[in-house]
């Protein structure tokens, strides 16, 4: 459990300091966490970019 907590903390810290964040969305799956992160980063003024293959 501690490893998962450390991984999550690492991810959020590096997402926080990033200038550009890239997202890739699978067409056949709903990804609520990725959608939440996309909105959160857009709201704070970073430049998230997303891609969904056709």
């Amino acid at each position: 459990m501690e490893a998962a907590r450390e991984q999550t903390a690492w991810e959020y810290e590096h997402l926080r300091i990033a200038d550009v964040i890239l997202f890739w969305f699978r067409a056949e799956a709903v990804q609520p966490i990725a959608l939440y992160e996309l909105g959160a980063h857009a709201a704070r003024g970073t430049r998230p970019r997303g891609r969904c293959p056709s």
Side-chain angles (χ1 to χ4, degrees):
M1 186 69 161
E2 183 60 28
R5 187 173 297 126
E6 289 176 12
Q7 177 66 30
T8 301
W10 184 92
E11 289 176 12
Y12 277 99
E13 173 61 17
H14 287 82
L15 286 170
R16 185 185 67 76
I17 63 175
D19 294 323
V20 176
I21 301 169
L22 304 175
F23 291 87
W24 183 78
F25 296 97
R26 292 178 45 197
E28 52 288 326
V30 176
Q31 298 170 294
I33 295 172
L35 291 172
Y36 168 80
E37 290 175 347
L38 176 65
H41 292 292
R44 75 176 179 91
T46 55
R47 300 181 323 228
R49 300 292 183 255
R51 169 117 175 121
C52 182
S54 46

